[in-house]
Structures are given as C-alpha cells and as structure tokens.
DNA sequence: TCAAAAGTGTTGCATCTACACCCATGC
DNA sequence: GCATGGGTGTAGATGCAACACTTTTGA
C-alpha cells in the first residue's frame, strides 16, 4: 500500500508517457426530462380543473432529426460534471435552480444517434408548473413547449418456456402540444431459471427525435415507482396545496383514480395543516397543507 | 413532419460537412459490481454456516491507483454498447453469461480519475456463488478475489433549517479479502421547501481505487431497496434452495435478522415446493424450493 | 335549494408481528 | 436425550379498501 522509490519512478514514467488519446473517446450528451403537472381547460366554472402530466420539449432546428421534438439537452464539456451539465440545461430552459433533479438512466446503444456514437445520460426533473413561464420561441429560433403526456399499457402477454417465461408488454406514449406525437414501446421481460432480464424497444415513433420516446417512457416508469415510496410528489406542487391537489398529482401520474377518504388517511402523516384555505370555487373552501417530512416512517 | 426537397438538400449538406470531432469527446468506462452470497467459515459441524455478501475486485497493476483494488471494468469501444461492454467484462471475469445484470449509475465527476476525464457507467450483477470459480491470478498478472462486504450506518444527524432540514448520514464500508479495505461515505440530504436533494461524498478511502467505494455503496443501497419489491434475491441462489437459505440472503443484504415463521409466510407465494430435501446436517432435513414467479401480485 | 367539493366514520379484509409450540434428524 | 434447525398455529395490531354519510360554500 506504500509507494517505494521504484514505484515513484514508475509513476513518473507513466505520467510522462500517458497519452489521453490512447483510448477512443465518445461524445456524451445530457438530456433532461422536465415534468410538471398542468391544469386541463375546463368550461364548467363550478368544477375543479382536472390535472395532466406535462413534459417540456424543444423542436430541433438542425439535422439530424430536424423538426422533430427532443428533450432539452446538449453535449457535456470536458470540464463539466454530468450533474452540472443537467443543472445548466435546466436553468437555461426554466430559469430556475431549485428543482428536484435526479439521474435517470444512461442510454448507450451504438446507433441511437445517426451522426456518430453518442452516449446520453438522462436526468429527471420535477417542477411546480406555476413557477415556470416558457417563452414561445427561444433564442436559436426553435420552438419550445409543454406536451401533455399519457402513457398507457395496451398489451401484456406472457408465454411460458421450458424454464421460465417471456412476458411482452406494449405501452403507448401520446404527447399533445404544438403537435401530436406518438410512440410505442415494447418491454420484454425474460425469466430463465432464477434470472430475470429486461429489454425495451421502441417499436413505433412519430415526431420524437432519437430514442427520446424511450427516455420519456423510462422517466414515467421511474416517476410512478418513486411516487409510492418517496415524497417526490411534493416537488410538483407549490409550498401550500390542498389535499385534493395532492391527490390529483398521484392520480395523473399513476393513471388511475383513488378514493379520497383513503388517500387522506394514507398521506395524512406526510402533511401538516395550515391556517389558510383556498376559496376560489363555488363550494366549501379547502384547507391548505404543507409538506411535513417529520411524518415519514424513516 | 414530411421532408421536402429543400430539406433533403440541406440534409445532404449537413452530412457532407459533419465533423464528428467538432464536439469534445470523453473517455467512457464500464465498471461492474459482481455480488454473490458466500458461506462463512464454521467450526461447529452441527451448525449451519452463516452467510456473507461478497464482491469481486481486482488489484490494479497500472498507474494510476496501482496496487489498489478496483471493480472489474474497462473502456467502452466506439462500436460496443454500454450493456454489451458490461456483459463482456462479466463473461471475462466469471466465465458466465446468464447472470442478473442491470445498470446502476453513471459517475460523472470531473476529477474522479487522475489521468483525464473518465466517465464511468456502473453495472450491478448478481451471481450464485457456487457457479463461479475465481482463478487466483488472471492473465495480466493482477490478483483477483472476493471481498466480504459490510456496509453499516454509523451516524445520522438532522438539523432543521429555516425552510426544511439537512440530514447527514455516515456509512462505513468494510471489505475483507486478500487485504482489508475500508471507506466512509457521507450522504447529505437536504430539504428546502418541497424540494429534496441528495449528494454523496467519499470522506475516507483506504485501498480502493478511484471512486469505486462510492460505487459499491450505491450498489448495496440498490440491492437493499430492490430486495423488498423485486425477486432479485433468487438470482443469488441455485435453482433449488431451502427457505432458510433464502432467508439468509435477505438477512445478509439487509443486515438484520428476520423471524423465520413470518419470513416463510411473506415469501410463501414466491416459491414452490419440490419433492427434494437437503439432509447434509445433523438435524431435520430441509425441503428444497424453487422460484415461482406466478405468485407475484403483479 | 342545489351542485360540487371538503372532510369524517364504520366495517370488514388482508397483512404483519411476536411468540409459543411441535417435528425430524444424527450422534 | 439433546442440540439444532425445520416448520405450523394463534392472537393482537395495524393498515387498507369500499362506501355511506355530513359539512360548507356561492350562486
């Protein structure tokens, strides 16, 4: 464990001879999924607006995939950490710095970009929609906009094999914004003995650049999972919120309805009542709550 | 969405002018965490051997970090996908191809490697220890070996701030194998309003190369979490196993004891009884079970 | 008075926990 | 018989789902 003088000599030789170009390098990009919960248009003034899941996309202005919609992202500079690169993109697009951000997945297929080999490390960000004001057209002339996102399971087949099974699930991803985009993802789960393996494949893709549809699918999956065992839901809401708003966040992400009475009890220890109420509608005012991390069961 | 002839002309121009070197590229490595459950030495022949979590490490033979222990890994070639690179490493070290493998995390700090900027995409692999026979010395003269791994929380402090809290957890990581290695990781979790952020820092490191201690910590965390809501535990066992063996897998990874009666009921629907028993010891023979994916509650 | 949402109570079912207990084996 | 693990039964606590019900507001 201790360096002797011979080792030091060797180390000096090493540094003198070291050629950083001796290994072939790769282009590395960072792409950011920025999710928010938005309100649906609503005609009946007495009803509460329904919520929807939105993601921020930017229309590409350059080949390849010119005019397709892509996640905000860019190449990583040699002196910039991955996370820093993601933060920079985020600030550039939303103007905000205090957002929830986590690494999602690194997409490393050889031909995912038609130019050359490009690795993409994706990040997942959550914003309170009320804090972001997206300008219509950014400086480089491209369009940028929110897309309502729906991701649904449309098929689920399992066939048994000699020593396990193969299960194929099909998901559709429909994005509505300035244009309508659509993609289909096939997830193949294989069990062989005790060993499970999974692979995802983009089987249909209309209007989304590169493999960004697969990234969005992965992001929604992560969101759905983390919703159940973390408190990320609060990152999508303002500091004060009603329990119905919180419930709507869960419902839009999970894609199913929950029973109000049970939901309230379930997240009861994660929130704290405040003195304030919201009385914008023609019905009983709702109490405003705030996130109370004390309630977590550690 | 449709290409007109002008677009096609522009696209041709683009391809003619495209210079893949126009963006600065990075060196990208893949590192693989290969975990297995091993048996502790046991003197009392009447007792069942206790189990322990093991990871495969290789002693570096080159600068930088010469003579320190590192995860098996290597640089990613331009024509090789990330997952393929991980599979190759895995096959090279264990001789096996049918293992559990998933992407873990991509480490992207600027100075994590002293040579030059190197990104590392880490993968987590699980093996049934009985299937692997590690040769003493691989061809390049380096040592390779299993290290018993213990990861424990040693401190957990939370201080409240104006609008949230800061929580700092300290973990020790102790690896015992051909040498004893030790590291300490500090995890800082910050809540600010509704927004949680986390960061990990290696505060002490003895004998492990680069930031591999942080990778191992991340791997164990992932393992502990996934144990609860997936069936990865079976990937660490042979096709047939006793319920006590399965329980030991849970206990060694989670680092705490479980009550046998309750454990059996809990995983009851994930296993299937076989006709076989194991009668190696001086007590009642144990029934052998196999993994039964049918029992999953979907 | 009415629509709409806010919020509570009740009951039954499923699951987890602790703990006591019996069974089978080799020596 | 005894040490050791294999394996079952039971009672209390807790949590969750379904659903019926009351409260409060603005128009």
């Amino acid at each position: 464990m201790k360096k002797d003088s011979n080792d030091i000599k060797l180390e000096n030789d090493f540094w003198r001879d070291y050629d950083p170009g001796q290994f072939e390098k790769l282009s590395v990009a960072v792409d950011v999924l920025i999710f928010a919960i938005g309100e649906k248009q609503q005609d009946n003034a007495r009803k509460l607006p329904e919520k929807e899941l939105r993601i921020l996309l930017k229309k590409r202005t350059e080949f390849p995939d010119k005019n397709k919609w892509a996640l905000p992202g860019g190449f990583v500079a040699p002196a910039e950490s991955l996370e820093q690169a993601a933060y920079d993109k985020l600030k550039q697009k939303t103007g905000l710095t205090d957002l929830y951000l986590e690494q999602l997945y690194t997409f490393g297929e050889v031909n995912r970009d038609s130019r050359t080999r490009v690795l993409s490390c994706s990040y997942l960000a959550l914003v309170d929609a009320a804090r972001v004001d997206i300008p219509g057209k950014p400086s480089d002339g491209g369009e940028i906009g929110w897309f309502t996102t729906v991701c649904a399971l449309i098929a689920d087949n399992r066939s048994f094999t000699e020593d396990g099974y193969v299960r194929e699930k099909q998901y559709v991803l429909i994005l509505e914004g300035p244009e309508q985009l659509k993609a289909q993802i096939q997830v193949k789960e294989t069990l062989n003995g005790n060993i499970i393996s999974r692979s995802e494949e983009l089987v249909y893709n209309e209007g989304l650049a590169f493999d960004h549809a697969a990234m969005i699918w992965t992001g929604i999956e992560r969101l759905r999972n983390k919703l159940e065992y973390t408190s990320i839901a609060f990152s999508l809401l303002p500091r004060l919120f009603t329990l119905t708003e919180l419930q709507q966040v869960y419902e839009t992400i999970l894609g199913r309805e929950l029973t109000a009475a049970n939901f309230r009890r379930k997240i009861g220890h994660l929130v704290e009542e405040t003195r304030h109420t919201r009385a914008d509608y023609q019905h009983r005012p709702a109490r405003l709550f705030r996130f109370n991390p004390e309630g977590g069961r550690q």
Side-chain angles (χ1 to χ4, degrees), chain A:
Chain A
M1 212 62 93
K2 242 178 71 187
K3 288 179 186 174
D4 63 18
S5 62
N6 190 36
D7 269 359
I8 291 176
K9 183 179 168 302
L10 281 170
E11 186 161 3
N12 285 340
D13 287 350
F14 170 80
W15 281 108
R16 200 188 52 225
D17 298 338
Y18 180 71
D19 169 16
Q22 69 181 288
F23 305 107
E24 285 210 70
K25 299 184 171 188
L26 307 178
S27 297
V28 179
V30 157
D31 290 303
V32 188
L33 289 84
I34 307 173
F35 283 111
I37 300 288
E39 302 199 338
K40 271 189 190 147
Q41 281 305 69
Q42 176 69 49
D43 39 350
N44 183 345
R46 298 185 65 174
K47 286 204 176 179
L48 274 184
E50 286 177 58
K51 302 280 169 111
E52 56 193 19
L53 182 65
R54 290 184 185 160
I55 190 166
L56 198 62
L57 296 178
K58 186 172 173 300
K59 196 168 193 165
R60 283 186 58 81
T61 56
E62 299 292 335
F63 295 110
D65 283 356
K66 181 171 172 179
N67 291 328
K68 295 201 172 180
W69 292 85
L71 295 166
F75 288 94
V76 178
E80 187 184 38
S81 80
L82 283 176
E83 183 160 299
Q84 194 54 53
Y87 260 118
D88 290 349
K89 268 292 148 201
L90 210 46
K91 177 161 188 198
Q92 181 187 325
K93 298 302 174 197
T94 64
L96 301 173
T97 53
D98 53 336
L99 301 179
Y100 178 84
L101 182 69
E102 72 169 56
Q103 193 185 97
L104 179 62
Y105 194 82
T106 302
F107 291 80
E109 289 306 310
V110 176
N111 293 313
R112 49 175 299 282
D113 187 311
S114 53
R115 289 169 289 193
T116 176
R117 175 84 187 271
V118 180
L119 261 183
S120 171
C121 186
S122 59
Y123 277 80
L124 174 67
L126 304 179
V127 211
D128 166 19
R131 298 177 63 204
V132 201
D133 189 23
I134 295 303
K137 305 248 179 185
S139 52
D140 60 358
E143 266 183 283
I144 186 164
W146 290 106
F147 282 75
T148 299
T149 309
V150 175
C151 176
L153 183 66
I154 52 169
D156 185 356
N157 299 301
R158 183 153 56 166
S159 57
F160 291 88
T161 59
E162 202 183 324
D163 197 18
Y165 63 80
V166 177
R167 182 173 182 181
E168 293 190 329
K169 295 192 201 178
Q170 291 255 352
Y171 290 86
V172 253
L173 189 66
I174 297 174
L175 306 183
E176 300 206 45
E179 295 175 35
Q180 202 199 49
L181 318 177
K182 200 170 160 185
Q184 217 159 312
I185 289 105
Q186 187 171 77
V187 182
K188 194 165 159 183
E189 185 183 292
T190 311
L191 176 72
N192 203 299
N194 287 348
I195 295 149
I196 287 181
S197 61
R198 266 169 61 116
S199 65
E200 287 102 38
E201 196 191 343
L202 199 53
V203 291
Y204 176 78
N205 184 11
E206 183 184 322
L208 276 158
F210 311 116
D211 52 0
H212 288 194
M215 292 186 182
I216 296 171
W217 178 81
T218 308
I220 295 176
E221 280 286 295
R222 171 79 58 95
L223 214 45
R224 286 181 175 161
N225 284 325
K226 281 221 159 183
L227 205 59
E228 316 248 24
Y229 65 95
T230 69
S231 28
I232 49 167
F234 301 101
S235 315
L236 290 160
L237 289 172
R239 211 63 69 82
L240 300 182
F241 48 84
T242 68
L243 290 185
T244 303
E245 285 167 343
L246 183 59
Q247 183 177 344
Q248 285 176 319
V249 170
Y250 277 78
E251 287 177 336
T252 28
I253 293 176
L254 296 178
R256 66 191 157 89
E257 307 222 315
L258 305 172
T259 321
N262 297 332
F263 179 78
R264 279 154 190 271
R265 273 184 289 259
K266 191 180 167 131
I267 48 80
H269 28 228
L270 282 178
V271 296
E272 199 175 47
E273 211 174 287
T274 68
R275 292 179 299 104
H276 308 90
T277 56
R278 164 133 60 234
D280 299 338
Y281 298 93
Q282 193 183 118
H283 55 250
R284 176 170 170 180
R287 172 138 270 124
L288 290 170
F289 290 78
R290 80 161 68 87
F291 176 35
N292 170 26
E294 283 317 283
R297 312 175 195 53
Q298 304 291 330

